[in-house]
Amino acid sequence: MYYLLKLFPEITIKSRSVRRHMTRCLAANVRNTLKPLDRRVTVRDGWDALHVTLPDGADEALANEVEARLTRIPGIHEIQAVSETRFTSLDQIAEAMVPPWQALIAGRRFRVSAKRRGEHGFTSADMERRIGARLLAAAPDARVDLTAPEVDVPVQVVDDRLRLIQRRLSGPGGYPLGLQGQALALISGGYDSPVAAWRMMRRGIKTHFLFFNLGGPAHEAGVREVTHHLWERYGLSHRVKFISVPFEPVVGEILRRVPDGLMGVVLKRMMLRAASRIARRARIPALVTGDAIAQVSSQTLTNLSLIDEASDLPVLRPLLTEDKQAIIDQARTLDTARFAEAMPEYCGVISRRPHTRARRHQLEAAEADFDFAILDAAIAAAETTLSHRLAAPDMAQPAPRPATVPTVDSPGELVAAEDVSVIDIRSPHEREAAPLALPGVPSLAIPFYELQQRADDLPEDRRYLLYCDQGVMSRMQALHLHDRGLTHFGIYRDASPR
């Protein structure tokens, strides 16, 4: 048995030279994807299809993994598992078609579709009639329907060999990866950005990944995991870059300098400024984001146009007009949804009254006091990991995290403990809007974007419990501190600020 890989239909309508180039590129991608499984797997390109042949004696496990990988390679429309036998007569062909199709057509309407290549003493129509008659004799409760069959019975003859299609599997379609250049996709680990990156990959674009870290090692570990999954399943033929930028200091500067309603837009502008510079340095000509119109306040058409002004590279948005549920459905198909479902929401910059129609002069005034040296330092501190090393244990990987972080749920526990202080890590405007009231409990106000720098100065003979409204950022910060060996930090939650 071997596999025929049918080309994506848009490839077949290209000019002869372009089609040949695309087919050769696809063949190379298939080789790169399958060779790690067994170097004896052979790939041969042809005009209508690619041929993939497994080594003699290949076991079922190898065949199953080969089929799974083939269904995820961009440029492939359909995978046909094919067996071949020699024949000497039309009757022999008809007899060979009975075992694989008799049960499948029983009680159903069917049609025989024959194709042949070579010199024969019969026509394709002769094949269809003879095979149809033999199948009807083997399955009397079936009937022929040439216009609306329930089952299509394909048969192919090439010279003196009969091709029997054992299985048909759908491929992703699209163009061979790497054929249409490169792009840098901003990835966060949510539903949208992995789907946006995959859509670019499916259209033949070699897609690298850029991550802005807002939550420390825990955040990066989750995004590395989803990125590795996306690359390993759908882009294995090409090695790409994963670039991580420490953006917590930038978030801190935004919270200190930028008016509340503009924080989200300014954050996106800072990300695109950084992404544009990093992409140019890597000679990548375009950026990709998972934005969809009106999904959040920063993604109105007005705000998106102002955000784009921060980049001197084109920003591609393959999800721009998609509904959220359609994006989630596709994330589940790609098996990236499970990562998004386990990924906490990082409350880096959340405006209470976000502007849906920011004005250019407002943004310019808001950014006038921003210390751009902080952005420069974040870009300079960016770290690059090649895709095949994302899952490998190395120094770039976050240290193992504790299974649990000490957590206190009730004010009574705090009052009873003499060695405990609570640190309110919310931003100043959040604290002012809803002060944390814990009578008799020592408390500190250290916004989350300053905590990592100030934690070392806090005495180790006390326990410090971090507090934020939803408990997400406090947990991420506590995990980050535990990663650094500062295990006297925990979490306080379920308080009722007044």
Side-chain angles (χ1 to χ4, degrees):
M1 188 179 72
Y2 62 92
Y3 299 97
L4 283 179
L5 312 182
K6 308 300 288 186
L7 305 177
F8 179 52
E10 289 184 25
I11 296 176
T12 64
I13 63 174
K14 304 297 182 185
S15 67
R16 185 176 186 87
S17 60
V18 172
R19 177 172 175 173
R20 175 60 66 189
H21 174 62
M22 288 185 171
T23 303
R24 288 174 177 168
C25 181
L26 178 58
N29 290 353
V30 173
R31 290 188 192 99
N32 290 340
T33 302
L34 300 183
K35 285 296 184 183
L37 296 175
D38 192 315
R39 299 193 66 80
R40 297 173 297 167
V41 174
T42 61
V43 180
R44 179 166 52 88
D45 61 289
W47 181 248
D48 294 318
L50 274 63
H51 294 66
V52 174
T53 306
L54 304 186
D56 293 339
D59 59 18
E60 185 178 355
L62 176 61
N64 290 341
E65 183 60 25
V66 165
E67 291 182 11
R69 292 194 178 192
L70 291 176
T71 61
R72 301 192 291 258
I73 298 176
I76 297 176
H77 175 66
E78 183 181 72
I79 301 98
Q80 299 177 356
V82 176
S83 63
E84 282 192 359
T85 59
R86 293 186 181 276
F87 70 90
T88 57
S89 68
L90 187 53
D91 286 334
Q92 189 177 357
I93 295 175
E95 285 297 326
M97 295 295 292
V98 172
W101 290 100
Q102 182 177 2
L104 295 176
I105 66 170
R108 306 175 76 183
R109 305 186 310 275
F110 76 95
R111 174 182 64 194
V112 177
S113 300
K115 293 183 179 179
R116 64 184 187 89
R117 189 167 68 228
E119 297 295 328
H120 304 100
F122 51 83
T123 65
S124 297
D126 293 335
M127 289 174 60
E128 292 172 351
R129 286 192 291 268
R130 187 71 60 89
I131 294 169
R134 184 65 189 87
L135 290 175
L136 282 175
D141 55 346
R143 64 187 180 92
V144 173
D145 186 336
L146 300 181
T147 57
E150 296 175 271
V151 180
D152 185 71
V153 179
V155 56
Q156 298 179 17
V157 167
V158 179
D159 298 324
D160 63 345
R161 302 187 69 84
L162 169 64
R163 286 180 179 174
L164 297 177
I165 300 174
Q166 306 290 338
R167 288 184 305 285
R168 293 176 183 267
L169 304 169
S170 296
Y175 290 110
L177 189 61
L179 196 65
Q180 303 297 326
Q182 303 183 76
L184 183 61
L186 280 63
I187 189 161
S188 66
Y191 290 105
D192 304 338
S193 55
V195 174
W198 176 81
R199 289 196 179 183
M200 301 305 292
M201 294 162 68
R202 183 183 174 275
R203 295 303 289 181
I205 295 174
K206 181 179 178 181
T207 304
H208 304 271
F209 300 90
L210 178 62
F211 163 60
F212 292 101
N213 191 341
L214 306 180
H219 191 189
E220 180 163 346
V223 177
R224 277 173 171 260
E225 192 175 11
V226 67
T227 303
H228 182 264
H229 167 84
L230 195 63
W231 168 76
E232 187 175 49
R233 285 177 68 89
Y234 305 104
L236 194 58
S237 59
H238 290 69
R239 289 182 178 177
V240 296
K241 297 176 181 178
F242 174 85
I243 303 170
S244 176
V245 183
F247 230 56
E248 286 176 303
V250 176
V251 171
E253 181 69 1
I254 290 172
L255 287 168
R256 281 188 291 266
R257 307 293 185 187
V258 176
D260 181 65
L262 298 174
M263 288 180 180
V265 176
V266 170
L267 175 62
K268 292 291 185 67
R269 283 166 61 91
M270 294 299 171
M271 287 180 171
L272 282 195
R273 282 190 177 98
S276 178
R277 288 167 57 181
I278 290 169
R280 282 201 173 279
R281 188 170 61 196
R283 298 183 179 180
I284 299 173
L287 305 178
V288 179
T289 76
D291 295 326
I293 288 179
Q295 191 175 115
V296 296
S297 60
S298 65
Q299 295 176 15
T300 63
L301 201 57
T302 299
N303 286 348
L304 288 175
S305 65
L306 293 171
I307 290 168
D308 281 2
E309 290 178 0
S311 171
D312 57 0
L313 293 178
V315 181
L316 309 179
R317 295 185 171 93
L319 305 184
L320 194 63
T321 60
E322 282 287 4
D323 298 331
K324 184 66 175 184
Q325 189 57 52
I327 296 170
I328 293 173
D329 291 343
Q330 187 157 55
R332 289 182 176 140
T333 300
L334 299 174
D335 197 28
T336 59
R338 59 188 172 94
F339 298 98
E341 289 159 1
M343 183 76 64
E345 291 289 339
Y346 290 86
C347 49
V349 174
I350 300 177
S351 301
R352 288 174 297 165
R353 295 179 296 276
H355 293 357
T356 57
R357 295 185 179 181
R359 298 290 184 265
R360 183 177 291 103
H361 71 275
Q362 293 175 323
L363 290 172
E364 291 173 351
E367 293 178 355
D369 293 332
F370 187 90
D371 184 357
F372 279 91
I374 295 175
L375 182 66
D376 296 339
I379 296 171
E383 295 184 353
T384 300
T385 305
L386 292 179
S387 51
H388 68 291
R389 293 186 60 83
L390 281 173
D394 57 31
M395 294 305 292
Q397 289 282 58
R401 301 191 303 275
T404 59
V405 173
T407 302
V408 173
D409 296 317
S410 68
E413 291 183 61
L414 295 176
V415 174
E418 297 181 355
D419 64 339
V420 170
S421 296
V422 172
I423 301 178
D424 189 338
I425 67 169
R426 295 175 297 168
S427 58
H429 73 263
E430 291 177 298
R431 292 198 303 270
E432 293 171 5
L436 178 63
L438 290 171
V441 179
S443 61
L444 302 170
I446 304 177
F448 70 91
Y449 50 83
E450 296 179 0
L451 181 63
Q452 297 298 321
Q453 289 74 37
R454 295 174 59 180
D456 289 321
D457 297 330
L458 299 175
E460 295 186 13
D461 58 355
R462 291 193 65 81
R463 289 185 295 144
Y464 296 93
L465 301 179
L466 311 182
Y467 171 78
C468 71
D469 285 336
Q470 299 179 0
V472 176
M473 183 57 73
S474 57
R475 176 172 172 76
M476 292 302 102
Q477 291 290 326
L479 285 170
H480 196 170
L481 292 168
H482 275 254
D483 288 337
R484 293 171 49 190
L486 302 177
T487 57
H488 55 298
F489 288 85
I491 302 167
Y492 175 60
R493 61 187 183 190
D494 291 341
S496 299
R498 314 186 209 345

